[in-house]
Amino acid sequence: MQKFLDIKEEKKGSVEFQIFSFTNTIGRLSLHLKLHKKDYSSERGLRKILGKRQRLLAYLSKKNRTRYKDLISQLNIRDITKSKI
């Protein structure tokens, strides 16, 4: 995870950084929703961000499998493609 914290300004548009950023946002929104169970607008935002991250992970998986596997292991995200078998 330290790798993403030291990224220079020009790398912030990379797929890996976007997924990292979405993962942090998902964590914060999940904690918020544990306290505020009826905050449906935040729940909707969380679902949208989850979808964006899922699409980016699928894109990265198709384009570069090694970068995808490295990112999955660094962020501790489960491998979605294995669960579909």
Side-chain angles (χ1 to χ4, degrees):
M1 183 127 55
Q2 186 64 24
K3 174 184 172 185
F4 297 107
L5 298 177
D6 297 334
I7 291 180
K8 295 181 181 176
E9 196 68 33
E10 67 266 5
K11 298 280 185 178
K12 289 190 177 181
S14 70
V15 176
E16 288 95 342
F17 186 82
Q18 290 179 37
I19 293 171
F20 170 73
S21 175
F22 286 147
T23 302
N24 286 340
T25 306
I26 288 167
R28 280 184 292 144
L29 279 174
S30 296
L31 288 175
H32 172 78
L33 287 171
K34 285 182 182 177
L35 295 173
H36 308 280
K37 297 183 189 308
K38 294 194 176 192
D39 188 355
Y40 298 116
S41 59
S42 291
E43 185 178 347
R44 180 176 184 263
L46 175 65
R47 290 179 193 269
K48 289 182 77 158
I49 292 172
L50 282 168
K52 286 181 184 180
R53 184 180 75 174
Q54 186 177 8
R55 287 190 299 275
L56 280 174
L57 283 169
Y59 168 80
L60 188 61
S61 174
K62 289 177 187 172
K63 291 294 180 184
N64 193 335
R65 192 73 178 167
T66 56
R67 282 173 46 195
Y68 170 77
K69 287 187 177 187
D70 289 343
L71 184 66
I72 291 291
S73 64
Q74 286 177 356
L75 295 179
N76 247 352
I77 303 174
R78 65 185 171 115
D79 193 354
I80 323 169
T81 57
K82 289 182 181 176
S83 63
K84 290 184 177 181
I85 294 176

